[in-house]
């Protein structure tokens, strides 16, 4: 019987194939950007949601650079859709890019690339979150997080950080307890919790 750890590791290997095939790190580096992997893949907690997250920084920030990187990414025939959201005037101070990559098995991967202004309140924040969560992961905590995440239907939108907070800070160990915890701790928008 395949364990949850083996399922997660297999999916994470697939995610790295997507990263390598798209050349995404080199594409952003070619415009002088610093590109940081964040989120579940960075922490070894990617399991059932084909989602890869990057935070990207350039000095100086130029919108045309962001579009230039996306034009290069769009040349990959497995990139099927790219969407753009301008939040430069919002608290986030960023450009959100969402690219959808279709792998050889027909699975769709969402690649989130958040191009953040250095003066954003979120600049560097989620990199710190990933470092802290990685530092406190024990085999039991990791297995509980993966089990809960794997039990959440894809169509139910649950942020991974909610699962991490529930397990790490509140000792939640299974999906039923997680749903109860979440009911008492509703979605707060952008969650800035760090363990």
């Amino acid at each position: 019987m395949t364990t949850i750890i083996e399922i997660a590791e297999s999916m994470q290997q697939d995610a790295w194939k997507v990263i390598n095939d798209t050349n995404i790190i080199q594409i952003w580096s070619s415009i002088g950007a610093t590109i940081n992997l964040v989120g579940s893949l960075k922490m070894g907690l990617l399991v059932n949601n084909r989602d890869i997250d990057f935070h990207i920084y350039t000095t100086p920030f130029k919108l045309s650079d962001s579009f230039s990187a996306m034009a290069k990414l769009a040349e990959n025939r497995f990139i099927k859709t790219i969407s753009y959201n301008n939040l430069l005037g919002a608290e986030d101070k960023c450009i959100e890019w969402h690219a959808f990559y279709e792998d050889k098995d027909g699975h769709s991967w969402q690649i989130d690339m958040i191009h953040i202004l250095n003066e954003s309140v979120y600049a560097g924040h989620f990199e710190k979150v990933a470092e802290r969560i990685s530092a406190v992961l024990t085999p039991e905590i990791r297995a509980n997080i993966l089990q809960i995440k794997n039990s959440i239907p894809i169509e139910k939108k649950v942020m991974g950080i909610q699962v991490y907070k529930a397990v790490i800070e509140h000792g939640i160990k299974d999906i039923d307890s997680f749903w109860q915890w979440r009911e008492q701790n509703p979605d707060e928008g952008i969650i800035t919790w760090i363990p």
Side-chain angles (χ1 to χ4, degrees), residues 16 19 24-25 35-38 52-56 111-115:
W16 278 104
I19 291 169
I24 196 164
I25 293 170
I35 176 168
N36 299 328
L37 182 65
V38 294
I52 302 168
D53 301 294
F54 290 102
H55 282 190
I56 296 150
I111 308 170
D112 296 330
M113 294 154 283
I114 314 302
H115 191 175

Side-chain angles (χ1 to χ4, degrees), residues 15-193:
W16 278 104
K17 287 177 191 161
V18 172
I19 291 169
N20 293 330
D21 181 62
T22 56
N23 222 14
I24 196 164
I25 293 170
Q26 293 80 353
I27 285 171
W28 281 101
S29 298
S30 76
I31 62 147
T34 299
I35 176 168
N36 299 328
L37 182 65
V38 294
S40 58
L41 181 59
K42 172 73 176 175
M43 297 176 283
L45 298 172
L46 180 74
V47 66
N48 67 341
N49 196 4
R50 291 180 174 84
D51 186 38
I52 302 168
D53 301 294
F54 290 102
H55 282 190
I56 296 150
Y57 305 88
T58 51
T59 306
F61 176 92
K62 285 199 290 195
L63 191 54
S64 58
D65 288 341
S66 214
F67 275 88
S68 172
M70 283 301 100
K72 290 177 186 175
L73 184 66
E75 289 176 13
N76 185 304
R77 67 189 179 97
F78 296 104
I79 295 287
K80 301 302 181 186
T81 310
I82 295 175
S83 69
Y84 157 85
N85 195 9
N86 185 328
L87 299 171
L88 292 174
E91 181 190 30
D92 310 43
K93 292 189 176 150
C94 69
I95 298 294
E96 287 184 354
W97 292 103
H98 305 286
F100 292 86
Y101 174 98
E102 191 173 295
D103 69 20
K104 62 180 176 15
D105 298 318
H107 297 124
S108 182
W109 289 82
Q110 180 171 326
I111 308 170
D112 296 330
M113 294 154 283
I114 314 302
H115 191 175
I116 306 172
L117 269 64
N118 291 313
E119 58 270 23
S120 168
V121 294
Y122 299 113
H125 175 76
F126 291 97
E127 289 86 341
K128 288 186 192 112
V129 171
E131 282 172 26
R132 285 293 307 134
I133 290 173
S134 297
V136 300
L137 283 181
T138 63
E140 182 189 5
I141 288 172
R142 182 169 185 233
N144 288 341
I145 287 171
L146 291 172
Q147 204 67 61
I148 291 168
K149 285 181 79 176
N150 201 45
S151 301
I152 298 170
I154 294 294
E155 64 277 3
K156 262 196 185 273
K157 291 290 177 199
V158 174
M159 290 181 281
I161 192 86
Q162 291 178 301
V163 177
Y164 312 149
K165 183 177 181 181
V167 174
I168 294 167
E169 193 170 278
H170 299 276
I172 301 300
K173 294 182 190 295
D174 59 69
I175 189 66
D176 292 335
S177 304
F178 173 72
W179 291 130
Q180 289 169 10
W181 176 87
R182 189 168 180 248
E183 215 170 277
Q184 294 158 3
N185 299 271
D187 179 357
E188 318 158 9
I190 295 175
I191 298 174
T192 55
W193 170 82

